[in-house]
Amino acid sequence: MTDEKTWSKPRPNIDADSREFWDGLTRHELLLWTCEKCQTAYWPKSYCINHENTEFAENMSWQPSTGLGRIFAMNRHEYSFHPGFKEDVPYFYALIELDEGPLISSTIIGKQPTSVIADVGRRVRIAYEDHPEEGFTLPRFELIDE
Amino acid sequence: MTTRNRIAVVGLGTVHQAPEGTSQRMMAAEAARRAIADAGLSISDIDGAIDLRRTGGGGDRASYTDAFTRVLGLPAQFYFTIGRGGALGGLATAAATGFLDRGLAKYIVCVGAVDDWTKAQAAKKQGHRGMSHTEKEGYWGKVLGDLRAASHHSWMAARHMAVYGTTSEQLGAISVAQRAWACLNPEARMHGRPITIEDHQASPWVVEPYHLLDVSLISDGAIAFVLTTEDRAKDCARTPVYVSGQGFGEVAADLWWKKENFTHMAVAPAKEKAFAQAGLNGVEDIDCAQLYDCFTAEVLFQLEDYGWCKKGEGGEFVAAGNIGRGGTIPVNTGGGLLSNWHLGDLTGYAEAVTQLRGEGGDRQIDDCKVALTTGHGGELVSPGMCSIHTSTILAVD
C-alpha cells in the first residue's frame, strides 16, 4: 500500500509496454528497446523505423544501456508546480541524449551544473534512486568528467 | 487558383473574462450564441457543431451533457469534439471545410472554452489533497519533476540559447512588444499594465531560462466562430473573412529520430501548403501574424521558420522592434497568449478576424488584408512538446 504521508509526488504510470523498463530500473539496469536486426535503440517502446517489423514489434527486445550520455538541453526549476516538490526546488531538469541514441529526461543529482546553457553537452551517467516502499526506482543522472 | 467554393468565417463570438466559476459548457454555449447572432443567423440555421477541446474528447469532460449544442438547444446534424492542446481553430477549420465542401452542412459553429483560471484558484485552495495521483497513461516525467508545460518547453528556449546565443533579454523583447499591443486592446487581461525589458528581467524565474514574463496567461473564457461557403457568406451580416490556405506539420519525427526539433517548429510543410493555396509569394504578403505563443521562444522560432529572419537571428530581429506597431510584421496584435488571454490558437484566430474586419480600434493594422494564424499542441511523452503546427491564412477581398 502506498501512503501519501511518505510519497507526496505523482506516481509513474507503469503499463504493459513499460513494465520491463521499470523492472530493469529496480535491478539498476537502464533498458532500451532495441532492434535485434539493426541494433537501433529506442525509448519508449516502438517499432523500428529502419525496416519492416514483425507482429507487435517482436523483432525487438529490451537491452541494457551503458547509462552514459550527454546533456542535450536543460532548465532549472525555481518554482514548485506541485506541493510534492516544495523541498526539491531549485532543481536542474535535463534532456539527456544517451550514447545509444534515444533521448530521456530526468534531474541532475550530486554535484550541480552551473548553467542551463553552458553545461549543455556535459557528460552524464545514470544514477538509481530506489523507493522500495513505493515499488519503483527512479532514474536520475549525475555529471561525470569527460 | 482553385475554382472550389471558398470557406469563410462569417460570425465571431467571444466570452471574455466571464464571472469566476462560470462553467465551460455555459461559456461555450454563450460564445456560440453570440457568434451565430454576429453572422445574422439563427440557431435553426446551424446544422453542424464542433466542440474544441484540448484533449480532443479524451474523456475529461462529458460528451453529451457537456455539449454546448445540448445547452443551447442547437439542432445540429452532427456534433463532435476535436483539438490537440492549443491546436483548435486550425483543426476545426480543416474539418469543417470537408463537411461544407461535401454539402454535409451549410453553417458550422466551432467553439472552444476554458476555465483554467477558476480551476487554478480552486487547486490553490485545495492544497495537497488528491495531488499524489498516478500519471496519465503514456506520459513520462511527472514523478521526476516534469510538472507543467514550462518544465519541458523551456528546454527549447535553452537549446536555442546554447546553439545560437539568443539571450533572455531578447526573449523579453517579445514579451514587451506583446504587452504594448495589449495596452492598445481594452479587452486584454494586461491592458493598462505596460512593461519594460527591466521588468521582464526582474520577474522571478519560473523555470530558467523562463522568467514569469515569458509564460502565457491562465484564462477563463470562450471563443466561437461560424463557417460557411462563399455563396452563403455573401448573404450573411458581416464581411466574410476567407480561409485562403491551410497546412499542417508535425515535429515528432524530428524529435524522436533526428533530435532536431529543439530550435524549430513543424512550420516547413505547413507553410508550403498554406502559402501555395493562398497564392502568397512569401511572408512579405502577410499583413499581421498571430503566432502561437504559449511561451516567448515559440514566437521567436516561428519568425525564423516562416522566414521573417534567418534561423538563429530571431533574437536580434525581435530586439530591433520588428514585431511591434509599425514593425516589419505586427505579431500577436491583441497581446496574444502572453498578455491578452489564453484560449489556445483561438486567441490569435479571433484577433485575425478582428483585424481583417478592421475592428481593431487603437491596435488596428492599416489596410489589413491577409493574416497568418498558427496553432501548436499535442503533448508527446516527455520530452513533451507541441508536435503539431497548424498554419491558417485568413483574408478579406
Side-chain angles (χ1 to χ4, degrees), chain A residues 7 9-11 13 22 43 72 74-79 81-83 85 91 93 95 97 101 105 107, chain B residues 128 131-133 135 137 140 142-146 151 154-155 158-159 205-208 256 259 262 382:
Chain A
W7 191 258
K9 294 175 177 173
R11 292 189 174 80
N13 187 318
W22 285 99
W43 180 86
F72 186 83
M74 186 160 58
N75 61 45
R76 187 167 186 256
H77 281 62
E78 303 272 348
Y79 179 83
F81 292 106
H82 183 288
F85 291 85
Y91 58 88
Y93 181 55
L95 186 60
E97 183 178 15
S105 61
T107 54
Chain B
H128 272 270
M131 298 298 270
S132 184
H133 61 285
E135 195 155 5
E137 190 171 331
W140 165 265
K142 273 216 166 71
V143 64
L144 300 164
D146 188 329
S151 297
S154 53
W155 281 333
R159 179 85 188 161
W205 292 117
V206 178
V207 179
E208 188 189 351
W256 287 108
K259 292 168 234 169
F262 284 79
S382 184

Side-chain angles (χ1 to χ4, degrees), chain B residues 31 58 75 149 205 255 289 327 330 362 368:
Chain B
W205 292 117
L255 169 67
D362 290 344
C368 184

Side-chain angles (χ1 to χ4, degrees), chain B residues 20-252:
Chain B
E20 190 173 319
T22 308
S23 69
Q24 292 180 80
R25 71 185 76 81
M26 283 302 289
M27 288 190 285
E30 177 57 22
R33 191 189 67 77
R34 293 179 189 184
I36 294 163
D38 182 57
L41 298 167
S42 65
I43 280 178
S44 59
D45 292 320
I46 306 297
D47 48 6
I50 299 177
D51 199 344
L52 294 163
R53 299 189 186 181
R54 287 169 296 194
T55 51
D60 62 333
R61 286 171 59 200
S63 177
Y64 182 72
T65 53
D66 239 16
F68 71 88
T69 48
R70 194 274 304 163
V71 177
L72 209 50
L74 195 156
Q77 288 166 4
F78 62 85
Y79 162 86
F80 61 89
T81 60
I82 192 171
R84 187 145 172 249
L88 302 166
L91 294 179
T93 300
T97 297
F99 284 94
L100 292 165
D101 267 353
R102 285 271 157 175
L104 295 171
K106 295 185 178 72
Y107 302 95
I108 300 177
V109 63
C110 310
V111 193
V114 295
D115 62 355
D116 296 335
W117 175 260
T118 294
K119 288 227 169 75
Q121 303 315 306
K124 259 187 205 164
K125 284 176 204 148
Q126 193 185 26
H128 272 270
R129 270 180 297 143
M131 298 298 270
S132 184
H133 61 285
T134 296
E135 195 155 5
K136 281 190 213 167
E137 190 171 331
Y139 274 71
W140 165 265
K142 273 216 166 71
V143 64
L144 300 164
D146 188 329
L147 299 164
R148 297 287 292 273
S151 297
H152 37 263
H153 278 255
S154 53
W155 281 333
M156 296 196 287
R159 179 85 188 161
H160 202 280
M161 289 172 166
V163 174
Y164 298 112
T166 302
T167 66
S168 172
E169 288 85 351
Q170 289 172 334
L171 294 182
I174 295 167
S175 191
V176 170
Q178 292 195 200
R179 183 63 63 90
W181 283 117
C183 288
L184 299 172
N185 174 10
E187 287 203 307
R189 179 86 158 80
M190 293 299 171
H191 181 255
R193 296 171 64 180
I195 55 168
T196 63
I197 296 288
E198 291 69 35
D199 294 330
H200 172 270
Q201 290 295 296
S203 70
W205 292 117
V206 178
V207 179
E208 188 189 351
Y210 277 150
H211 289 277
L212 182 62
L213 288 175
D214 289 299
V215 180
S216 52
L217 301 172
I218 296 171
S219 305
D220 285 352
I223 293 177
F225 56 95
V226 177
L227 294 169
T228 190
T229 50
E230 182 173 9
D231 51 353
R232 294 186 186 96
K234 293 191 161 129
D235 295 329
C236 287
R238 309 301 302 269
T239 303
V241 170
Y242 294 104
V243 180
S244 60
Q246 276 209 293
F248 303 117
E250 295 273 353
V251 285

Side-chain angles (χ1 to χ4, degrees), chain A residues 40-82:
Chain A
T40 305
Y42 298 83
W43 180 86
K45 184 173 179 173
S46 62
Y47 286 72
C48 186
I49 62 167
N50 296 328
H51 43 73
E52 291 298 315
N53 291 264
T54 54
E55 289 182 351
F56 295 102
E58 282 174 355
N59 50 305
M60 305 179 73
S61 59
W62 290 103
Q63 297 296 329
S65 156
T66 58
L68 295 168
R70 283 183 195 281
I71 294 173
F72 186 83
M74 186 160 58
N75 61 45
R76 187 167 186 256
H77 281 62
E78 303 272 348
Y79 179 83
S80 170
F81 292 106
H82 183 288

